[in-house]
Amino acid sequence: MIRRLVIFGGTGDLTGRYLLPGLAALHETGRLGADFEVVCADRKGRDDEQFRTWAATQLDQHSPDISGDTRQAILTAARYRQADIQDPAQVAETIAGAGPVAVYLALPPALFPTAVRTLHAAHLPAGSRLVLEKPFGEDLAGAETLNRLLADLVPEQAVFRVDHFLAMTTVQNLLGSRLANRVLESLWNSAHIAEVEIIWDETLTLEDRAGYYDSVGALEDMVQNHLLQLLCLVAMEPPITLSERDLRDRKVDVLRSIRTLTDDDIPRRTRRARYSAGVIGDRHVPSYTDEPGVDPQRRTETFTEVHLTIDNWRWAGTNFLLRTGKALAADRKEVAIHFRPVPHMPFGHHGTTAPNVLRFGLDPENLTLTLSAIGAAVDALVPVTMTAPIHPPDLPAYGRLLLDVLLGNPALSIRGDEAEEAWRVVTPIISAWSRDLIPLDDYPAGSPGPAGTRR
Ligand code: BG6
């Protein structure tokens, strides 16, 4: 296990909100040794006291339930260092120490190529690992360039392209349910499944993230990575093992089988929209374009819906709907498997019923199956829903992800070819939208989405 973590972007939002709390969760569950150290580096030039006050505030805010011991242990393990990721001498001093180091780039993606070049010049100790936040590259060409630079720095298995959805227990439950239950596998194909909905509707709005979000939008923020990863877990062939190679080979097969959308497909198969002012619960939400830092000329979408087709034996004929949006009326975060209707109903004309639906609730976690059952009379069918309890996770997603980095298990991070294939899927959409092949619709904050959005 690597005992030293260096975070560039070390006093940013990601570090305070997720990484320090992730480390705290590892300590709380006995997975972080006493000699662990985390160096938080950036250009700001804080003194030790300012840094400690900041780190303590972050822990109090984002890890309110940890013990006093854990809080103290993380504050003791963490130290600050001023370093510019573009300066090889400063970076070399920051990563210097005994043994390999895990370097976490919690930086804007535009800085990744420079950061990788600097780390190369600064000589990473042998056995070190590198963690990159999403989005991986700004487009397909950017991802290819970054992959080439990374290949010169460390072996592929030492690169952790993060997708925190893969570290969520609820997402891993998709794998557990599929692969440990014979009853599902025989139905897991287009003969039985008409549609798979992969939905991440949020009531959250921009939350002061214009600096990042306004340059990516919903498609690149959510679909290119998280939702396509969910699609892979639903649609992949059963892997031989859950080792990084077996699992990632099967996921990349799925990405390669996704049909490339043409300009003719885009108007029928994609939607984009942006929220205007509205009310969510008792919150008044300003229009996206009135948020500080947003450039209305960019026409950034905050909602998108994409219908994809998988061209392989198992899935030809099933629709995969990927949808996500911000500032919507309600949170809905799930993968819903819609089965086809039964081929014949022997109940007469009263016996019509809705097809079965299996739902993997991702947040909050639950698993439900809707079946039809006999109601008051044999021809009066009613839907019944069975709900299975899901064990609560023992670690938050970033805790699990950091543990995998420190232990050196990249199975639940994205391999270079996966990142490139995911860009291949979204690139024609980005291109068509940039040529305004479809309108940018509007929806009021607090509504279910643009007119016609399916509930
Ligand atoms: C992030 C996106 O990766 O995932 C956010 O950038 C999104 O826009 C978030 O809100 C959803 O995941 P979580 O775990 O924060 O609910």
Side-chain angles (χ1 to χ4, degrees):
M1 183 164 174
I2 284 189
R3 320 245 23 106
R4 214 150 45 89
L5 176 68
V6 174
I7 306 172
F8 289 98
T11 63
D13 187 59
L14 181 81
T15 307
R17 189 182 289 265
Y18 295 113
L19 302 183
L20 293 180
L23 292 173
L26 292 182
H27 186 276
E28 192 88 339
T29 52
R31 286 149 156 132
L32 210 59
D35 54 345
F36 182 80
E37 69 171 319
V38 50
V39 179
C40 297
D42 65 18
R43 287 188 314 182
K44 287 181 196 146
R46 300 182 180 232
D47 64 34
D48 275 353
E49 199 173 320
Q50 282 171 331
F51 172 68
R52 260 167 224 294
T53 309
W54 173 82
T57 312
Q58 298 301 310
L59 286 176
D60 294 342
Q61 204 174 335
H62 303 298
S63 298
D65 299 329
I66 53 173
S67 66
D69 277 1
T70 291
R71 184 177 183 277
Q72 193 47 48
I74 298 299
L75 293 177
T76 308
R79 62 189 170 84
Y80 177 76
R81 179 141 202 143
Q82 184 176 12
D84 181 347
I85 193 63
Q86 313 202 39
D87 183 326
Q90 288 181 11
V91 169
E93 277 173 31
T94 307
I95 59 178
V101 61
V103 175
Y104 202 120
L105 301 182
L107 296 169
L111 280 176
F112 288 171
T114 311
V116 175
R117 285 194 189 96
T118 314
L119 285 164
H120 201 277
H123 300 296
L124 265 184
S128 294
R129 299 179 191 134
L130 191 59
V131 192
L132 297 97
E133 269 293 328
K134 61 123 225 213
F136 183 79
E138 289 161 315
D139 53 21
L140 177 56
E144 287 168 348
T145 305
L146 201 45
N147 275 337
R148 278 195 297 274
L149 288 171
L150 286 165
D152 282 343
L153 182 66
V154 282
E156 173 62 33
Q157 293 190 357
V159 181
F160 290 73
R161 296 173 192 80
V162 162
D163 190 311
H164 79 283
F165 272 41
L166 292 175
M168 290 180 185
T169 311
T170 49
V171 168
Q172 292 168 8
N173 182 47
L174 267 171
L175 283 182
S177 303
R178 269 201 66 189
L179 304 176
N181 293 294
R182 186 164 192 133
V183 70
L184 292 182
E185 177 55 25
S186 53
L187 301 176
W188 213 254
N189 54 53
S190 65
H192 298 285
I193 296 175
E195 182 173 75
V196 175
E197 287 182 307
I198 299 176
I199 308 284
W200 195 268
D201 287 351
E202 297 182 313
T203 49
L204 275 184
T205 61
L206 186 58
E207 316 291 324
D208 296 327
R209 294 170 75 214
Y212 155 73
Y213 192 87
D214 199 41
S215 58
V216 290
L219 185 73
E220 293 179 39
D221 179 47
M222 291 295 296
V223 176
Q224 191 274 342
N225 35 72
H226 304 319
L227 301 196
L228 281 176
Q229 284 296 316
L230 291 173
L231 181 146
C232 286
L233 297 184
V234 172
M236 70 182 181
E237 293 303 310
I240 306 168
T241 68
L242 295 184
S243 69
E244 60 85 16
R245 178 175 169 196
D246 290 340
L247 184 62
R248 301 196 291 183
D249 278 357
R250 295 293 73 81
K251 286 198 294 157
V252 87
D253 285 348
V254 174
L255 292 168
R256 291 180 53 226
S257 327
I258 296 175
R259 188 181 303 169
T260 303
L261 294 178
T262 63
D263 278 358
D264 284 345
D265 297 325
I266 302 284
R268 287 179 294 112
R269 295 188 154 264
T270 72
R271 276 195 92 171
R272 58 173 174 161
R274 188 168 66 178
Y275 67 82
S276 50
V279 178
I280 307 178
D282 54 7
R283 251 187 324 148
H284 282 271
V285 175
S287 171
Y288 176 77
T289 50
D290 289 336
E291 292 275 10
V294 167
D295 174 1
Q297 302 306 324
R298 277 210 184 103
R299 292 167 59 71
T300 301
E301 78 288 354
T302 59
F303 172 101
T304 183
E305 189 175 279
V306 178
H307 293 260
L308 295 174
T309 302
I310 297 182
D311 283 327
N312 68 16
W313 191 297
R314 187 189 282 265
W315 292 114
T318 297
N319 184 47
F320 286 81
L321 164 61
L322 280 54
R323 182 178 91 200
T324 185
K326 291 202 179 284
L328 294 171
D331 286 306
R332 179 179 163 207
K333 299 167 179 176
E334 66 173 13
V335 173
I337 313 289
H338 294 267
F339 290 89
R340 295 191 190 281
V342 293
H344 171 67
M345 290 288 278
F347 300 96
H349 67 282
H350 296 303
T352 50
T353 183
N356 302 141
V357 186
L358 177 63
R359 293 177 192 279
F360 296 89
L362 303 174
D363 182 17
E365 67 261 33
N366 52 43
L367 179 60
T368 63
L369 174 62
T370 307
L371 300 171
S372 289
I374 300 297
V378 78
D379 64 350
L381 295 167
V382 291
V384 291
T385 297
M386 303 189 327
T387 303
I390 303 290
H391 285 292
D394 65 339
L395 285 176
Y398 271 92
R400 180 147 304 284
L401 185 155
L402 285 167
L403 185 63
D404 280 350
V405 171
L406 299 175
L407 291 173
N409 177 12
L412 293 175
S413 70
I414 313 291
R415 203 168 60 192
D417 52 349
E418 273 187 88
E420 291 179 14
E421 281 300 329
W423 277 115
R424 181 197 58 78
V425 173
V426 298
T427 297
I429 308 175
I430 296 170
S431 154
W433 288 2
S434 73
R435 288 175 281 127
D436 282 330
L437 236 62
I438 63 165
L440 174 63
D441 294 331
D442 171 84
Y443 61 100
S447 70
T453 302
R454 207 198 276 178
R455 304 283 173 109

